[in-house]
Amino acid sequence: MMVTINPCFHWIGYHLTSSLLQEGIEVIGIDPIVDSKSDLLYMYVGRNSNFQHFFQRSDKENHVQQSNDEWEVDLVDDGLLVRQGDTERDWIEIPLLYGEWMDICKTGAKEKDELLQWITDQQATYIGDFMDTFLKSFLDQQPFRLEKRADDKGIVKERVEALWRCELLLQRI
């Protein structure tokens, strides 16, 4: 199985890319790497032998022959478009998510406590939980169903700490 992710260094695309690589799946990432965040995320997956990167879809089409077992996952607006070949297989609406590498500015939070409050108020889903559910449905070729679950406040606080460390790292580069 081979999966093309576009864009692979958007924070959601990165988590999808990383998760698929951890499953041992070949991933072709498409992303122009236009900022330091994309460059940093490339460093995390770029050395994996199952990962190939192209700046544009046309570059990929010129260098990789499409096969019958290739899937494509495109991040479009607030959803994931999943295709196999020319056939659309699934449209998955993405709920409000939070997690490492997200754009915290979009939440309006300037401090960890504000981010924690935003997550609670919005009932946002952790990216890792979303990816676990997505991968299970994707690999088993089953319909996607994300079940809302109430996370323990301690777990959410730990996740926010990790997210904040990522944010501080980005600010230093």
Side-chain angles (χ1 to χ4, degrees), residues 6-161:
N6 182 28
C8 64
F9 299 126
H10 176 280
W11 78 279
I12 295 172
Y14 166 76
H15 281 279
L16 182 54
T17 298
S18 179
S19 296
L20 288 166
L21 289 170
Q22 288 176 13
E23 292 292 323
I25 294 171
E26 279 187 72
V27 176
I28 296 174
I30 299 174
D31 202 304
I33 304 183
V34 294
D35 57 20
S36 57
K37 181 178 175 181
S38 298
D39 196 36
L40 178 67
L41 295 178
Y42 175 81
M43 300 285 272
Y44 286 115
V45 297
R47 291 175 282 171
N48 189 309
S49 62
N50 282 338
F51 181 73
Q52 293 181 67
H53 173 253
F54 295 98
F55 285 83
Q56 300 173 7
R57 189 177 298 276
S58 59
D59 295 338
K60 179 227 173 206
E61 291 167 357
N62 290 333
H63 292 88
V64 178
Q65 185 172 352
Q66 190 167 2
S67 68
N68 292 336
D69 67 340
E70 181 180 349
W71 289 79
E72 293 187 22
V73 180
D74 289 314
L75 180 64
V76 182
D77 298 324
D78 294 328
L80 295 174
L81 177 61
V82 180
R83 296 188 307 268
Q84 186 177 24
D86 294 332
T87 307
E88 182 178 325
R89 295 289 183 189
D90 209 356
W91 169 258
I92 297 168
E93 198 165 316
I94 299 173
L96 275 177
L97 297 173
Y98 75 96
E100 298 79 12
W101 311 115
M102 71 180 280
D103 186 355
I104 293 176
C105 294
K106 290 184 179 181
T107 68
K110 293 181 179 29
E111 301 292 329
K112 279 189 283 191
D113 292 339
E114 291 174 346
L115 180 60
L116 189 57
Q117 189 62 50
W118 178 85
I119 291 166
T120 304
D121 292 347
Q122 300 297 322
Q123 297 181 338
T125 301
Y126 181 62
I127 186 75
D129 296 338
F130 176 81
M131 282 302 144
D132 288 346
T133 304
F134 174 79
L135 281 179
K136 182 163 179 32
S137 71
F138 179 75
L139 296 174
D140 296 343
Q141 296 187 17
Q142 298 294 319
F144 177 82
R145 276 192 190 65
L146 182 64
E147 295 179 20
K148 276 284 191 190
R149 48 185 236 214
D151 287 327
D152 176 86
K153 287 192 182 246
I155 291 172
V156 174
K157 197 169 186 171
E158 286 176 23
R159 290 173 174 169
V160 168
E161 287 290 334

